[in-house]
Amino acid sequence: MIRKTGFKLRQSSPEILIVGGIIGVIGSAVMACKATTKVSEIQDKTDKQLAAAEEALAKHADIYSEEDYKKDKLIIRAHQVVDYAKLYGPSIVCGALSISCIVGSHVILKKRNLALSAAYATIDKAFKEYRGRVAEKYGDDIDKELRYNVKKLVTEEKVKTEDGKTKKVKNTTNYIDGEYSDYYRIFDESNKYFERNPQLNRAFLRCHEQYATDKLRSQGYLFLNDVYKDLGFKPTREGAIVGWVLDPDSNESDNYVDFGVFESQRPKAKDFVNGYEYSVVLDFNVDGPILDRFAKFAKDW
């Protein structure tokens, strides 16, 4: 039970530290305000002692010299400083500990985020290497077919030949029938930018897709959360890690932003582009975790 409790405390340590830090800062301010009410007492005490020393110097100069007066004055001021330190010491200590708690919470969260980013990058690298081996052995077409669950739709239609006869012709169309990525979003009535007009929705997404690509090319990187917020979606934890990096020399970057709509083979996406559907699923072509890649790219750049 003790070990389990200790583990839960370590797991929740950032929240505990930040809450403790906030409470401590408030408590420190209250203690400082309360201590300020007693400052006048210390000042009055110091003034009386200095006045007594001055009076002794004036009345008993034969036995109380100027040098004695200066020493006593220095001692009185030192006692005044000590009294102030005792008065404000608890609030200062409490404030310092509170700030330490807040900073400690930040350090713990930073370490966890770095560890999470490293784990995310490792998984992403392993998945890309696996796809690379599949593409190397079976070809890029098979890799895409397995990745996106591409299926073939065979349809028949009757056409007239030049001699006036009718014959059946088979048409084969590829379409995607697989799961979306973990970053997809549905652009529908729940979005504040959605309109009951397919042409307006299509124009909106086309413009913002180009804007995101221009932003990527302008600043050299782009987080998925930036695109989410631009399109009216709420940011996510994953969106603060994954995104795009402008790196023309790397095979890991597309160097453009794609919402998975206008060049998609999904039937629903085609219906949206053709104006038959009001809403559409957006599936973004992120490069993956970009924190480490962007840091390296920015250093070289």
Side-chain angles (χ1 to χ4, degrees), residues 70-134:
K70 291 181 179 179
K71 289 181 180 179
D72 287 344
K73 186 177 180 181
L74 182 63
I75 292 173
I76 292 170
R77 292 299 186 187
H79 281 299
Q80 184 183 19
V81 172
V82 172
D83 290 338
Y84 280 143
K86 291 180 179 178
L87 187 63
Y88 285 102
S91 63
I92 293 173
V93 172
C94 181
L97 291 175
S98 302
I99 294 173
S100 299
C101 288
I102 295 173
V103 173
S105 174
H106 170 72
V107 171
I108 293 173
L109 287 175
K110 186 177 180 180
K111 289 181 178 179
R112 290 183 180 180
N113 286 335
L114 290 174
L116 179 63
S117 300
Y120 206 152
T122 301
I123 295 173
D124 184 70
K125 181 182 178 182
F127 178 65
K128 288 180 178 178
E129 289 177 351
Y130 168 75
R131 288 189 59 193
R133 291 192 295 270
V134 172

Side-chain angles (χ1 to χ4, degrees), residues 36-74:
T36 304
T37 61
K38 299 180 180 180
V39 170
S40 58
E41 297 178 5
I42 297 175
Q43 188 62 46
D44 292 342
K45 176 184 175 182
T46 301
D47 292 341
K48 288 180 181 179
Q49 290 175 344
L50 290 175
E54 291 175 1
E55 184 180 356
L57 179 64
K59 293 182 178 181
H60 307 285
D62 54 336
I63 59 175
Y64 189 74
S65 64
E66 182 74 24
E67 185 178 351
D68 293 331
Y69 169 73
K70 291 181 179 179
K71 289 181 180 179
D72 287 344
K73 186 177 180 181
L74 182 63

Side-chain angles (χ1 to χ4, degrees), residues 234-280:
K234 293 181 179 180
T236 64
R237 293 180 179 178
E238 297 81 3
I241 300 175
V242 302
W244 297 263
V245 172
L246 185 67
D247 190 1
D249 298 329
S250 174
N251 295 327
E252 300 180 9
S253 299
D254 291 332
N255 298 307
Y256 64 89
V257 177
D258 185 7
F259 292 172
V261 176
F262 301 102
E263 303 298 331
S264 176
Q265 297 182 14
R266 299 181 187 273
K268 290 294 184 181
K270 292 182 179 179
D271 290 341
F272 173 80
V273 173
N274 291 328
Y276 305 136
E277 290 283 347
Y278 291 95
S279 59
V280 68

